[in-house]
Amino acid sequence: MQITSLIYNKSVRYVMLIIVSLVTNLGLAFGLFYLGVSESASFAVALTVTYFLNFSGCRWFVFSSTDVPVTTQFIQFAITNGSFRLLEYSSLLVLSTLEFSNYYMRVLLVLGTSFVIKFFVYGKFVFRNVGKS
């Protein structure tokens, strides 16, 4: 399979977006801190930028979903994304209470599971193309 045909696959584009998002998040957080910005401000800027990067990337790159107005879709994304964050946090707390494995494994399990589920939820409910079958 050629690289160009792989890029037409939504799941491959989603993985590409996640990698770009992670590099952007870490680069901004560490870069701003290195430049003298406080830890909390650096991290807040990085999270904000990657939040909008993820929305834009999902809408225009991963799912090519432009049938729904951008404002409506952004509200749906915000609600869905916020819900996922709460579920991720709650899941981590439950796994910690159950003393499941170690912290690193719990974080990887929670975020990895969320990463996969988000792909399907975003594709089905947030970034669906209503005009296409």
Side-chain angles (χ1 to χ4, degrees), residues 3 5 10 18 27 32 39 49 52 82 85 87 89-90 93 98 102 109-110 113 117 121 130:
I3 298 278
S5 63
K10 287 181 188 176
I18 296 305
L32 290 171
E39 285 181 24
V49 169
F52 287 103
R85 295 297 176 225
L87 285 171
Y89 186 68
S90 300
L93 291 179
L98 296 173
N102 62 48
L109 177 65
V110 167
T113 304
I117 295 171
V121 170
V130 292

PDB file of all heavy atoms in Angstrom, residues 3 5 10 18 27 32 39 49 52 82 85 87 89-90 93 98 102 109-110 113 117 121 130:
ATOM      1  N   ILE A   3       1.914   5.287   0.445  1.00  0.00           N
ATOM      2  CA  ILE A   3       1.684   6.311   1.474  1.00  0.00           C
ATOM      3  C   ILE A   3       0.478   7.176   1.119  1.00  0.00           C
ATOM      4  O   ILE A   3      -0.350   7.466   1.981  1.00  0.00           O
ATOM      5  CB  ILE A   3       2.939   7.202   1.635  1.00  0.00           C
ATOM      6  CG1 ILE A   3       4.126   6.391   2.088  1.00  0.00           C
ATOM      7  CG2 ILE A   3       2.673   8.369   2.544  1.00  0.00           C
ATOM      8  CD1 ILE A   3       4.210   6.124   3.553  1.00  0.00           C
ATOM      9  N   SER A   5      -2.186   6.496  -0.571  1.00  0.00           N
ATOM     10  CA  SER A   5      -3.465   5.818  -0.354  1.00  0.00           C
ATOM     11  C   SER A   5      -3.743   5.647   1.133  1.00  0.00           C
ATOM     12  O   SER A   5      -4.896   5.633   1.556  1.00  0.00           O
ATOM     13  CB  SER A   5      -3.495   4.474  -1.076  1.00  0.00           C
ATOM     14  OG  SER A   5      -2.515   3.613  -0.573  1.00  0.00           O
ATOM     15  N   LYS A  10      -9.193   7.529   7.131  1.00  0.00           N
ATOM     16  CA  LYS A  10      -9.484   8.429   8.264  1.00  0.00           C
ATOM     17  C   LYS A  10      -8.706   8.068   9.514  1.00  0.00           C
ATOM     18  O   LYS A  10      -8.242   8.949  10.239  1.00  0.00           O
ATOM     19  CB  LYS A  10     -10.977   8.417   8.585  1.00  0.00           C
ATOM     20  CG  LYS A  10     -11.826   9.141   7.606  1.00  0.00           C
ATOM     21  CD  LYS A  10     -13.284   9.084   8.021  1.00  0.00           C
ATOM     22  CE  LYS A  10     -14.152   9.643   6.918  1.00  0.00           C
ATOM     23  NZ  LYS A  10     -15.561   9.536   7.229  1.00  0.00           N
ATOM     24  N   ILE A  18      -3.090  13.216  15.994  1.00  0.00           N
ATOM     25  CA  ILE A  18      -2.722  13.018  17.397  1.00  0.00           C
ATOM     26  C   ILE A  18      -1.225  13.231  17.588  1.00  0.00           C
ATOM     27  O   ILE A  18      -0.791  13.853  18.564  1.00  0.00           O
ATOM     28  CB  ILE A  18      -3.157  11.611  17.879  1.00  0.00           C
ATOM     29  CG1 ILE A  18      -4.672  11.479  17.833  1.00  0.00           C
ATOM     30  CG2 ILE A  18      -2.617  11.319  19.269  1.00  0.00           C
ATOM     31  CD1 ILE A  18      -5.449  12.543  18.587  1.00  0.00           C
ATOM     32  N   GLY A  27       5.890  20.779  22.610  1.00  0.00           N
ATOM     33  CA  GLY A  27       6.773  21.841  22.112  1.00  0.00           C
ATOM     34  C   GLY A  27       6.425  23.205  22.679  1.00  0.00           C
ATOM     35  O   GLY A  27       7.308  23.958  23.108  1.00  0.00           O
ATOM     36  N   LEU A  32       7.774  27.455  25.701  1.00  0.00           N
ATOM     37  CA  LEU A  32       7.394  28.679  26.418  1.00  0.00           C
ATOM     38  C   LEU A  32       8.034  28.729  27.797  1.00  0.00           C
ATOM     39  O   LEU A  32       8.498  29.780  28.239  1.00  0.00           O
ATOM     40  CB  LEU A  32       5.872  28.789  26.521  1.00  0.00           C
ATOM     41  CG  LEU A  32       5.140  29.081  25.216  1.00  0.00           C
ATOM     42  CD1 LEU A  32       3.635  28.960  25.399  1.00  0.00           C
ATOM     43  CD2 LEU A  32       5.512  30.451  24.676  1.00  0.00           C
ATOM     44  N   GLU A  39       5.193  27.927  34.385  1.00  0.00           N
ATOM     45  CA  GLU A  39       4.723  26.573  34.064  1.00  0.00           C
ATOM     46  C   GLU A  39       3.229  26.558  33.767  1.00  0.00           C
ATOM     47  O   GLU A  39       2.793  25.978  32.775  1.00  0.00           O
ATOM     48  CB  GLU A  39       4.989  25.627  35.239  1.00  0.00           C
ATOM     49  CG  GLU A  39       6.412  25.217  35.406  1.00  0.00           C
ATOM     50  CD  GLU A  39       6.588  24.250  36.574  1.00  0.00           C
ATOM     51  OE1 GLU A  39       5.614  23.558  36.964  1.00  0.00           O
ATOM     52  OE2 GLU A  39       7.713  24.193  37.094  1.00  0.00           O
ATOM     53  N   VAL A  49      -4.023  25.940  22.471  1.00  0.00           N
ATOM     54  CA  VAL A  49      -3.638  25.831  21.056  1.00  0.00           C
ATOM     55  C   VAL A  49      -3.965  24.446  20.524  1.00  0.00           C
ATOM     56  O   VAL A  49      -4.539  24.297  19.438  1.00  0.00           O
ATOM     57  CB  VAL A  49      -2.144  26.178  20.858  1.00  0.00           C
ATOM     58  CG1 VAL A  49      -1.676  25.811  19.458  1.00  0.00           C
ATOM     59  CG2 VAL A  49      -1.907  27.657  21.132  1.00  0.00           C
ATOM     60  N   PHE A  52      -7.777  23.828  19.845  1.00  0.00           N
ATOM     61  CA  PHE A  52      -8.242  24.359  18.565  1.00  0.00           C
ATOM     62  C   PHE A  52      -7.618  23.609  17.386  1.00  0.00           C
ATOM     63  O   PHE A  52      -8.269  23.418  16.354  1.00  0.00           O
ATOM     64  CB  PHE A  52      -7.967  25.866  18.476  1.00  0.00           C
ATOM     65  CG  PHE A  52      -8.883  26.664  19.355  1.00  0.00           C
ATOM     66  CD1 PHE A  52      -8.437  27.182  20.563  1.00  0.00           C
ATOM     67  CD2 PHE A  52     -10.208  26.873  19.011  1.00  0.00           C
ATOM     68  CE1 PHE A  52      -9.282  27.904  21.394  1.00  0.00           C
ATOM     69  CE2 PHE A  52     -11.075  27.587  19.829  1.00  0.00           C
ATOM     70  CZ  PHE A  52     -10.604  28.107  21.030  1.00  0.00           C
ATOM     71  N   GLY A  82     -15.194  17.734  26.444  1.00  0.00           N
ATOM     72  CA  GLY A  82     -15.288  17.925  27.891  1.00  0.00           C
ATOM     73  C   GLY A  82     -15.788  16.669  28.595  1.00  0.00           C
ATOM     74  O   GLY A  82     -15.280  16.296  29.660  1.00  0.00           O
ATOM     75  N   ARG A  85     -12.977  14.198  28.777  1.00  0.00           N
ATOM     76  CA  ARG A  85     -12.001  14.551  29.817  1.00  0.00           C
ATOM     77  C   ARG A  85     -12.496  14.127  31.193  1.00  0.00           C
ATOM     78  O   ARG A  85     -11.729  13.603  32.003  1.00  0.00           O
ATOM     79  CB  ARG A  85     -11.704  16.055  29.802  1.00  0.00           C
ATOM     80  CG  ARG A  85     -11.037  16.542  28.555  1.00  0.00           C
ATOM     81  CD  ARG A  85      -9.671  15.913  28.390  1.00  0.00           C
ATOM     82  NE  ARG A  85      -9.099  16.345  27.125  1.00  0.00           N
ATOM     83  CZ  ARG A  85      -8.492  15.542  26.263  1.00  0.00           C
ATOM     84  NH1 ARG A  85      -8.357  14.270  26.535  1.00  0.00           N
ATOM     85  NH2 ARG A  85      -8.007  16.000  25.149  1.00  0.00           N
ATOM     86  N   LEU A  87     -14.657  11.701  31.832  1.00  0.00           N
ATOM     87  CA  LEU A  87     -14.615  10.241  31.869  1.00  0.00           C
ATOM     88  C   LEU A  87     -13.191   9.718  32.027  1.00  0.00           C
ATOM     89  O   LEU A  87     -12.958   8.747  32.754  1.00  0.00           O
ATOM     90  CB  LEU A  87     -15.242   9.663  30.599  1.00  0.00           C
ATOM     91  CG  LEU A  87     -16.763   9.725  30.524  1.00  0.00           C
ATOM     92  CD1 LEU A  87     -17.249   9.335  29.124  1.00  0.00           C
ATOM     93  CD2 LEU A  87     -17.387   8.831  31.575  1.00  0.00           C
ATOM     94  N   TYR A  89     -10.703  11.271  33.532  1.00  0.00           N
ATOM     95  CA  TYR A  89     -10.305  11.544  34.909  1.00  0.00           C
ATOM     96  C   TYR A  89     -10.963  10.558  35.872  1.00  0.00           C
ATOM     97  O   TYR A  89     -10.313   9.981  36.746  1.00  0.00           O
ATOM     98  CB  TYR A  89     -10.646  12.991  35.278  1.00  0.00           C
ATOM     99  CG  TYR A  89     -10.145  13.394  36.638  1.00  0.00           C
ATOM    100  CD1 TYR A  89      -8.787  13.523  36.884  1.00  0.00           C
ATOM    101  CD2 TYR A  89     -11.037  13.638  37.672  1.00  0.00           C
ATOM    102  CE1 TYR A  89      -8.326  13.889  38.142  1.00  0.00           C
ATOM    103  CE2 TYR A  89     -10.582  14.005  38.931  1.00  0.00           C
ATOM    104  CZ  TYR A  89      -9.222  14.129  39.162  1.00  0.00           C
ATOM    105  OH  TYR A  89      -8.775  14.481  40.399  1.00  0.00           O
ATOM    106  N   SER A  90     -12.265  10.341  35.691  1.00  0.00           N
ATOM    107  CA  SER A  90     -12.995   9.406  36.547  1.00  0.00           C
ATOM    108  C   SER A  90     -12.444   7.991  36.410  1.00  0.00           C
ATOM    109  O   SER A  90     -12.285   7.281  37.404  1.00  0.00           O
ATOM    110  CB  SER A  90     -14.483   9.401  36.181  1.00  0.00           C
ATOM    111  OG  SER A  90     -15.035  10.680  36.355  1.00  0.00           O
ATOM    112  N   LEU A  93      -9.238   7.679  38.289  1.00  0.00           N
ATOM    113  CA  LEU A  93      -9.484   7.589  39.730  1.00  0.00           C
ATOM    114  C   LEU A  93      -9.967   6.198  40.138  1.00  0.00           C
ATOM    115  O   LEU A  93      -9.523   5.651  41.149  1.00  0.00           O
ATOM    116  CB  LEU A  93     -10.507   8.641  40.168  1.00  0.00           C
ATOM    117  CG  LEU A  93     -10.061  10.098  40.116  1.00  0.00           C
ATOM    118  CD1 LEU A  93     -11.198  11.015  40.553  1.00  0.00           C
ATOM    119  CD2 LEU A  93      -8.826  10.327  40.970  1.00  0.00           C
ATOM    120  N   LEU A  98      -8.735   0.985  42.637  1.00  0.00           N
ATOM    121  CA  LEU A  98      -8.625  -0.474  42.531  1.00  0.00           C
ATOM    122  C   LEU A  98      -7.171  -0.944  42.563  1.00  0.00           C
ATOM    123  O   LEU A  98      -6.913  -2.142  42.540  1.00  0.00           O
ATOM    124  CB  LEU A  98      -9.283  -0.957  41.232  1.00  0.00           C
ATOM    125  CG  LEU A  98     -10.780  -0.735  41.102  1.00  0.00           C
ATOM    126  CD1 LEU A  98     -11.257  -1.116  39.705  1.00  0.00           C
ATOM    127  CD2 LEU A  98     -11.533  -1.532  42.167  1.00  0.00           C
ATOM    128  N   ASN A 102       0.386   0.105  37.723  1.00  0.00           N
ATOM    129  CA  ASN A 102       1.028   1.321  38.241  1.00  0.00           C
ATOM    130  C   ASN A 102       0.457   2.547  37.538  1.00  0.00           C
ATOM    131  O   ASN A 102      -0.302   2.437  36.564  1.00  0.00           O
ATOM    132  CB  ASN A 102       2.556   1.239  38.092  1.00  0.00           C
ATOM    133  CG  ASN A 102       2.999   1.121  36.654  1.00  0.00           C
ATOM    134  OD1 ASN A 102       2.546   1.861  35.791  1.00  0.00           O
ATOM    135  ND2 ASN A 102       3.896   0.187  36.385  1.00  0.00           N
ATOM    136  N   LEU A 109      -3.476   3.250  29.644  1.00  0.00           N
ATOM    137  CA  LEU A 109      -4.710   2.518  29.383  1.00  0.00           C
ATOM    138  C   LEU A 109      -5.886   3.469  29.176  1.00  0.00           C
ATOM    139  O   LEU A 109      -6.645   3.341  28.213  1.00  0.00           O
ATOM    140  CB  LEU A 109      -5.008   1.554  30.536  1.00  0.00           C
ATOM    141  CG  LEU A 109      -6.308   0.769  30.422  1.00  0.00           C
ATOM    142  CD1 LEU A 109      -6.263  -0.179  29.228  1.00  0.00           C
ATOM    143  CD2 LEU A 109      -6.569  -0.002  31.706  1.00  0.00           C
ATOM    144  N   VAL A 110      -6.022   4.427  30.073  1.00  0.00           N
ATOM    145  CA  VAL A 110      -7.149   5.369  29.990  1.00  0.00           C
ATOM    146  C   VAL A 110      -7.054   6.216  28.715  1.00  0.00           C
ATOM    147  O   VAL A 110      -8.018   6.325  27.956  1.00  0.00           O
ATOM    148  CB  VAL A 110      -7.204   6.278  31.242  1.00  0.00           C
ATOM    149  CG1 VAL A 110      -8.137   7.448  31.033  1.00  0.00           C
ATOM    150  CG2 VAL A 110      -7.628   5.462  32.452  1.00  0.00           C
ATOM    151  N   THR A 113      -7.442   4.006  25.454  1.00  0.00           N
ATOM    152  CA  THR A 113      -8.841   3.620  25.243  1.00  0.00           C
ATOM    153  C   THR A 113      -9.658   4.817  24.781  1.00  0.00           C
ATOM    154  O   THR A 113     -10.451   4.724  23.842  1.00  0.00           O
ATOM    155  CB  THR A 113      -9.438   3.038  26.545  1.00  0.00           C
ATOM    156  OG1 THR A 113      -8.623   1.935  26.962  1.00  0.00           O
ATOM    157  CG2 THR A 113     -10.867   2.596  26.353  1.00  0.00           C
ATOM    158  N   ILE A 117     -11.885   5.306  21.263  1.00  0.00           N
ATOM    159  CA  ILE A 117     -13.322   5.567  21.338  1.00  0.00           C
ATOM    160  C   ILE A 117     -13.662   6.927  20.739  1.00  0.00           C
ATOM    161  O   ILE A 117     -14.669   7.079  20.039  1.00  0.00           O
ATOM    162  CB  ILE A 117     -13.828   5.459  22.792  1.00  0.00           C
ATOM    163  CG1 ILE A 117     -13.673   4.016  23.279  1.00  0.00           C
ATOM    164  CG2 ILE A 117     -15.277   5.911  22.909  1.00  0.00           C
ATOM    165  CD1 ILE A 117     -13.932   3.831  24.768  1.00  0.00           C
ATOM    166  N   VAL A 121     -16.652   8.116  18.124  1.00  0.00           N
ATOM    167  CA  VAL A 121     -17.662   9.077  18.584  1.00  0.00           C
ATOM    168  C   VAL A 121     -17.594  10.355  17.750  1.00  0.00           C
ATOM    169  O   VAL A 121     -18.625  10.872  17.302  1.00  0.00           O
ATOM    170  CB  VAL A 121     -17.496   9.376  20.092  1.00  0.00           C
ATOM    171  CG1 VAL A 121     -18.372  10.537  20.527  1.00  0.00           C
ATOM    172  CG2 VAL A 121     -17.809   8.135  20.906  1.00  0.00           C
ATOM    173  N   VAL A 130     -23.608  15.023   7.094  1.00  0.00           N
ATOM    174  CA  VAL A 130     -25.026  14.724   7.026  1.00  0.00           C
ATOM    175  C   VAL A 130     -25.527  14.542   5.600  1.00  0.00           C
ATOM    176  O   VAL A 130     -26.474  13.824   5.369  1.00  0.00           O
ATOM    177  CB  VAL A 130     -25.870  15.792   7.766  1.00  0.00           C
ATOM    178  CG1 VAL A 130     -25.637  15.722   9.247  1.00  0.00           C
ATOM    179  CG2 VAL A 130     -25.599  17.169   7.239  1.00  0.00           C
TER     180      VAL A 130
END
